[in-house]
Amino acid sequence: MRVNKIRLRSEKLGEIFTLSLFTTAIPQPYEIKAATGLDADSIHPVTYGGDVSGNRFYNMSLDSRDIVMRIGLNPDVGNNESFSDLRSKVQRAIAASRNPLVTIDLLLDSTVVASINGHISSFAASTFVSLPEIQLKVTCDIDSFFVGPLVTLSDLSEVNTTGTLELDYAVGTAPTGISTVVNITNPMSSFGFAGIDGEWLFNVIYTFLTNDVLVINTEPGRLEVSVVRYNPTITEYETISLGDRVEASSLWPILFPGLNTYLVAASVGLYEIDSFSYYPKYWGI
């Protein structure tokens, strides 16, 4: 991952600071001295299923991530800015609203490469020294991965005509889930995806009707299967959860780094995949 800046921001307060990872010609109010927790420090396997041959499948997971930054303070004294002002600006982000989460963005110049959410779990300041610093710890225990901006496939003609989707997941470095919207063009009794060699199958068993819209999200922590259907009785569209219609032996689709091949477990002509997207994930810098 190529990055040259770290930005801390709050939903309410906006940008708190941006740290350059390299020396700049113009002095910055906050200067990075050291940082830890930007790499994958503790990776462990989690089993989540197996294939018909009895082989077990494992997903590699991360423990809660603590990002610790030691930051030098450089106030603009010409504009009456003090060390205390810079410390207070960061302290306000600890609990700026009822949602105390902050976001750390990894930037390449002004472009966000990846982000992670957490809360400020420790704030320490060296005050009675000639060069005051602060040390900030952000604990990321909701999702320990850095997550990149949404990637949406622009051309789905091949999967809609052949039933095969090939995707080269070359942006991220860690496995991630997918999100797809499928228009049902003819009645059918199930829809799903399968591995190219039949090693896994994700199948939703349901009586789909023409003009149904199937929504599938396999992002860990945000799993969703639902159908949007027009109800003539109330003359409105309604969303029906299909979580209980996922076949018991199903494995939820996951994107792994490199080439991924999905086979649609439905006949071509009965469906049209309208969108397919994912958020790239990274183990660390």
Side-chain angles (χ1 to χ4, degrees), residues 4-5 18-31 74:
N4 55 17
K5 295 178 183 178
T18 297
L19 306 171
S20 176
L21 300 182
F22 304 98
T23 303
T24 60
I26 301 175
Q28 303 297 310
Y30 299 94
E31 297 181 349
N74 184 31

Side-chain angles (χ1 to χ4, degrees), residues 52 61 78 96 118 123 128-129 133 153 168:
V52 293
S61 182
F123 179 95
F128 303 108
V129 294
E133 297 179 348
L153 302 191
D168 186 9

Side-chain angles (χ1 to χ4, degrees), residues 125-136:
S126 58
T127 53
F128 303 108
V129 294
S130 58
L131 297 174
E133 297 179 348
I134 59 173
Q135 181 165 292
L136 191 69

